Amino acid sequence: MAEITIPEPIQDARKSNGAKSTAKQQAIDLKDPSLYINRELSNIEFNRRVLHETQSDHPLLERVKFLAIFHANMDEFFMVRVSGLKQQFKLGLATVSSDGLLPREQLANIHRTLTQLFSEANTIWRDQLHVQLAETNIHVLRYEELSKSQRNKLRIYFEREIFPVLTPFASDPSRPFPHISNLSLNLAIQVRDPKTGDMRFARVKVPPPLSRLVPLKRFDPDQLSTPAVQKFVWSEEVIAANLDRLFPGMEIVAGYPFRVTRNSDMELQEEEADDLLLMMEDNLRQRHFGTVVRLEIDESMPQAVRDILMSNLEVDSYDVYTTNGPLGLSSLWELHRLERPDLKDRPFPPRTPPALQNVRGSIFSVLRQRDILLHHPYDSFSPVVNLLESAADDPDVLAIKTTLYRVGTNPPVLQALKKARLNNKQVAAVVELKARFDEETNIHWAQELEGVGVHVAYGLIGLKTHCKVTLIVRRERDGIRRYVHLSSGNYNSATARLYTDIGFMSHDEALADDASDLFNFLTGYSRQEEFRKFLVAPMTIRPKLLELIQRETQLGSKGRIIFKCNSLVDSELIRNLYKASQAGVKIDLIVRGICGLRPGIQGVSENIQVMSIVGRFLEHSRVYYFHNNGDPALYMGSADLMPRNLDRRVEVLFPIEDPAMTQYIVEDILAVCLRDTAKSHILQSDGRYIPRRYLLEGDGPYFDSQVWFLRQSGSNTGEYL
């Protein structure tokens, strides 16, 4: 297979020095911290790209959605990453990141960067999206903008719907400061006793079941006559305007919104747990009581109230973020649920691969003839569900084994597994209880599966089970035959329409043998460290990827590497990519999120190009391609290039060995992504990302890889080019 052409302008921007290895290059210390980008700051830069999608060419409610995603991502960033750094700092640990920064230095950089970024996000909402929504008859109003009639109607609504669930908590010498739960929206209330003149402090929590945006249509006669106009008001402002009902006889001075983010990265003592399920349930309860890592307040809050919050929540000035707009804008997802198709991405019908159209007989008859590649969301996820449903109903299927990480709500995959068990199949599911922020959902599904007799395992101590593997055992005329489904994505039919992933179905005996051995490793006792075709972390993925990189390095300027993944931060792999670049190997890295490698450094990484694509779909597939002088090796699967994936998770990469399928992945997926000029950003050596269109001469037309994939699947998406 011929080597793919490096798209312009990447080729112009990356002139190779061939296999030169000067004394200067040899003297470079590839462990030098200056050669690495801080992973926390790189994470923030990814979310900056997400935020900038609010100003892109998406339909309006999709741009609002990106603002909600940005804030939700930042919540998780504080709950996990910032909390970890704060713990290191408080314990006095001198842990140095790959770029040479101590925890306190990273925290200072994070605060400085995010102060600016949060201000930008607030400006985007206030001056752009909020205004544009109003122009399309979606009005998010402040309480002071309401008419007297609307306020009176809201008073009645407050009395009936909100007041009964509110609980004011006073804080004084006889009553301790109340617990503030994670991510809750609250009002810090100042009231004055008219008899004594004393100022008092209280807290009121905005009830989580309450819609953040209260629709006015239910009691606004003007809106009832014009249903195309939709009006909303912030729930905390409705509460603040009616505080007299909560504090009768007291003078209401003011109510100031605030929000708290707590450490939610659970520390698990798995070795000491008698029952992992019970331990996870207990840890979930404790998550609400983690230390505070961020306090968000309105800029109008006076210093006296700030001091009360900071003192009782035990935070310092670096933990406080002020804003002059609404807090917790991840709640803007509520607007995205509105029935306004004119303001959303046009729905598209995913494609069913030709081999699975008009199938006579079962899907197994197709898989006996050929392997199937699925490129989601452009290819439908239905064949995966159909595979499991067919296995559940097929009297010749003896057993189904699968791994479950994030399956979502009411997943059809789990319904198929339950049905299979009720049909007397042997069903085993490895459910990862430690999938962060999906723990509660996974506990629920694990218990439901166990309730119908599915054999449920929770993985291995100290390792998360992150691989995506299904094995189906079937009795056929010529004996027992096994079928596998392998993927980079979860068994989640909802995210399969939003994430780009690659799935693979096969009856290959060696892959089936590996899948059998993998499940024995996960559910029984096994010290197996070698597999036939699978690369399995934490045993073989790291050494094999290093071996393949080094093989390309030996080829010098004839070497070619293309990686597509979500994150690249592993220092050992980065060093080996640097060595390959020094040898003249051309390297393209399509890294959606965090990247610790600095491209474009003379003598180190001038042959490396790093691209990030952020668009309508979340780029989630992982592909590792090594040209090998025309005899390529190509692996796909669940693993990103991070120490946690390579060393602390059970991950699987699987090979694609069919030449035609390999060529399709390289030329019709990877090369198409590399051509993207509409949604791609190019990483600079200083850690900044520049939209690739800014690096081109002229004003377009720009190539959108995701739109191209949609067109290839038969969807009419030309209006979004």
Side-chain angles (χ1 to χ4, degrees), residues 546-570:
L546 290 172
E547 175 190 324
L548 294 172
I549 294 172
Q550 290 161 5
R551 186 174 70 181
E552 296 298 313
T553 303
Q554 293 173 357
L555 294 172
S557 60
K558 295 182 179 179
R560 184 78 169 96
I561 294 173
I562 306 174
F563 288 173
K564 184 179 187 297
C565 58
N566 299 327
S567 301
L568 168 60
V569 296
D570 187 82

Side-chain angles (χ1 to χ4, degrees), residues 1-12 14 558-562 586-588 590 609 611 625 627 663 665-676 692 703:
M1 183 180 67
E3 182 176 0
I4 69 172
T5 303
I6 303 173
E8 302 290 349
I10 294 178
Q11 187 168 305
D12 288 341
R14 184 178 51 191
K558 295 182 179 179
R560 184 78 169 96
I561 294 173
I562 306 174
K586 304 295 186 300
I587 303 171
D588 276 303
I590 308 167
Q609 177 83 32
M611 167 193 288
Y625 168 76
H627 183 60
Q663 183 169 356
I665 294 168
V666 174
E667 297 184 356
D668 291 342
I669 296 180
L670 294 179
V672 171
C673 291
L674 290 172
R675 287 170 53 200
D676 193 296
R692 189 173 176 191
F703 178 76

Side-chain angles (χ1 to χ4, degrees), residues 193-206:
D193 189 329
K195 292 184 178 180
T196 65
D198 293 338
M199 190 78 79
R200 306 293 188 188
F201 175 87
R203 168 262 196 168
V204 174
K205 179 179 179 179
V206 179

Side-chain angles (χ1 to χ4, degrees), residues 56-77:
S56 189
D57 55 357
H58 301 288
L60 180 56
L61 283 180
E62 303 299 341
R63 290 189 278 129
V64 172
K65 175 194 71 178
F66 276 105
L67 184 60
I69 292 172
F70 165 78
H71 282 282
N73 287 353
M74 286 292 94
D75 287 344
E76 182 172 338
F77 179 73

Side-chain angles (χ1 to χ4, degrees), residues 147 149-150 153 216-226:
S147 67
S149 172
Q150 289 172 325
K153 296 285 187 178
L216 298 183
K217 65 180 179 181
R218 64 185 70 182
F219 40 73
D220 185 348
D222 294 335
Q223 190 168 337
L224 289 174
S225 62
T226 54

